[in-house]
């Protein structure tokens, strides 16, 4: 067993970043790219355009994005219309990239994620869409594409999604991880209390998701119009639980530099040759209104 005194500096940071749509989860990644980390993004939301605006030109080469979406077609007419996904492969492709990350455009082979060190960050954007991709894959595999899922379909997709979390959580993955997730609000059984939880499939998985990460933070929008500020919260807010083992972390961090600040507080040094992000140097407000 490693001495407690060595764990903070050596352990990779596996971070779950939750927030409602439009609060800046995707854009927040820019501070890590601008700090010199190499980002590998599984983009299931098809919403990484914001990074073109907020990642500095000299670091854009270190941001690798694989967009994984499933196409569909309309079937039927009137009220009986449904969308049938055509051979959905987003979920298995995501798993394949974990085993061997090969750039779909250049063909460059970055090897398995398990071979990466702490200068690299695996990003899943987002857990919410990864879960939907798993369910679409299960439905197609079971010959019910476009149909209402059976309970067995939900169960199979939830197991696949949780197994993916287990892989990312395992000590075999030695790089840092950032997983974005939307928030789902559900009542705690028997209590009458509603809690905001990371969005997974069904109602049984969301309460368990946080255990697969050593930190869970929340993004939040504050104000309106031109005065809107986007923040990263390290303390619980209203009905949403977060966890941050860094006792001296500020309650709120600016979205422009927040994730890079958290990495420093965790005891991590930015990769050699990088420059620190300039806090507040980028206007996040307008681009982030599109997708995040």
């Amino acid at each position: 067993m490693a001495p407690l005194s060595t764990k903070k500096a050596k352990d990779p940071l596996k971070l779950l970043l939750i927030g409602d749509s439009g609060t800046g989860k995707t854009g927040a990644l820019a501070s890590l790219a601008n700090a010199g980390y190499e980002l590998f993004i599984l983009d299931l939301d098809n919403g990484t355009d914001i990074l073109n605006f907020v990642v500095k030109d000299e670091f854009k080469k270190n941001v690798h994005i694989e967009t994984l979406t499933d196409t569909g077609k309309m079937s039927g007419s009137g009220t009986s219309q449904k969308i049938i996904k055509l051979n959905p492969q987003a979920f298995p492709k995501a798993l394949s990239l974990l085993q061997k990350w090969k750039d779909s455009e250049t063909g460059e082979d970055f090897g398995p994620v398990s071979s990466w060190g702490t200068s690299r960050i695996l990003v899943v954007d987002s857990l919410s869409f990864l879960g939907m991709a798993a369910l679409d894959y299960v439905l197609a595999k079971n010959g019910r594409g476009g149909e209402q899922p059976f309970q067995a379909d939900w169960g199979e997709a939830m197991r696949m999604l949780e197994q993916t979390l287990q892989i990312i959580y395992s000590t075999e993955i030695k790089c840092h991880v950032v997983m974005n997730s939307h928030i789902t609000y559900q009542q705690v059984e028997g209590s009458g209390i509603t809690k905001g939880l990371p969005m997974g499939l069904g109602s049984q998985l969301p309460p368990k998701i946080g255990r697969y990460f050593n930190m869970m933070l929340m993004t939040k929008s504050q104000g309106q119009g031109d005065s809107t500020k986007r923040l990263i919260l390290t303390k619980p807010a209203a009905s949403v639980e977060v966890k941050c083992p860094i006792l001296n972390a500020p309650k709120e961090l600016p979205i422009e530099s927040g994730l890079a600040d958290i990495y420093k507080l965790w005891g991590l040094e930015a990769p050699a040759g990088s420059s620190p992000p300039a806090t507040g140097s980028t206007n996040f407000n307008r681009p982030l209104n599109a997708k995040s």
Side-chain angles (χ1 to χ4, degrees):
M1 180 179 294
L4 183 60
S5 61
T6 67
K7 288 185 70 63
K8 180 179 177 182
K10 291 187 177 180
D11 281 5
L13 179 52
K14 298 185 179 180
L15 186 152
L16 180 63
L17 186 63
I18 66 174
D20 292 325
S21 181
T23 55
K25 297 182 296 297
T26 302
L29 300 168
S31 70
L32 296 173
N34 291 336
Y37 289 98
E38 195 171 11
L39 272 57
F40 292 79
I41 304 175
L42 290 174
D43 171 28
L44 294 113
D45 291 25
N46 194 20
T48 57
D49 291 346
I50 176 61
L51 296 177
N52 286 321
F53 295 94
V54 292
V55 174
K56 296 177 181 178
D57 288 343
E58 62 264 36
F59 295 117
K60 287 182 179 179
K61 65 182 184 298
N62 291 335
V63 180
H64 312 275
I65 301 172
E66 291 294 330
T67 299
L68 306 173
T69 57
D70 291 318
T71 58
K73 69 174 183 179
M74 295 297 297
S75 175
S77 59
T79 58
S80 63
Q81 282 189 359
K82 58 185 178 182
I83 298 176
I84 300 176
K85 294 293 176 69
L86 305 174
N87 188 28
Q89 292 295 304
F91 187 79
K93 283 181 180 178
L95 296 187
S96 294
L97 283 165
L98 296 182
Q99 296 170 348
K100 182 180 181 180
W101 193 291
K102 190 172 183 178
D103 190 290
S104 58
E105 292 188 4
T106 67
E108 187 173 359
D109 186 352
F110 295 97
V113 173
S114 59
S115 69
W116 297 353
T118 53
S119 65
R120 290 180 173 178
I121 302 173
L122 170 66
V123 177
V124 180
D125 193 13
S126 64
L127 171 65
S128 322
F129 277 77
L130 183 65
M132 288 189 282
L135 184 58
D136 286 334
Y137 175 72
V138 167
L139 285 172
K141 180 172 69 70
N142 294 340
R144 288 194 293 279
E147 304 291 339
Q148 286 294 323
F150 292 169
Q151 187 172 353
D153 300 323
W154 281 105
E156 184 178 354
M158 281 192 289
R159 283 191 296 273
M160 291 168 61
L161 185 59
E162 188 166 11
Q163 286 169 356
T164 305
L165 293 175
Q166 290 169 350
I167 291 169
I168 291 172
Y169 171 77
S170 74
T171 55
E172 290 187 9
I173 305 299
K174 299 177 179 63
C175 65
H176 303 300
V177 175
V178 176
M179 183 172 287
N180 288 343
S181 176
H182 297 86
I183 298 177
T184 183
Y185 295 88
Q186 65 183 55
Q187 196 171 80
V188 179
E189 188 175 354
S191 71
I193 299 172
T194 299
K195 280 194 172 183
L197 300 167
M199 185 180 288
L201 293 171
S203 61
Q204 295 181 5
L205 183 57
K208 299 193 290 182
I209 290 171
R211 70 180 63 169
Y212 293 108
F213 299 87
N214 46 24
M215 192 178 298
M216 181 166 70
L217 307 179
M218 175 184 173
T219 56
K220 179 184 178 181
S221 291
Q222 194 174 77
Q224 295 181 346
D226 292 340
S227 63
T228 300
K229 291 173 58 180
R230 290 176 175 84
L231 303 167
I232 295 176
L233 307 185
T234 65
K235 308 294 181 186
S239 60
V240 182
E241 293 291 336
V242 302
K243 64 176 181 180
C244 180
I246 304 171
L247 298 181
N248 63 336
K251 181 179 178 180
E252 298 177 349
L253 292 164
I255 203 116
E256 293 88 348
S257 64
L259 291 185
D261 293 339
I262 284 291
Y263 271 50
K264 290 177 185 176
L265 290 169
W266 188 252
L268 300 170
E269 294 184 6
S274 64
S275 58
T279 301
S281 62
T282 305
N283 180 3
F284 271 58
N285 290 326
R286 186 168 182 178
L288 280 177
N289 286 333
K291 277 189 179 181
S292 62

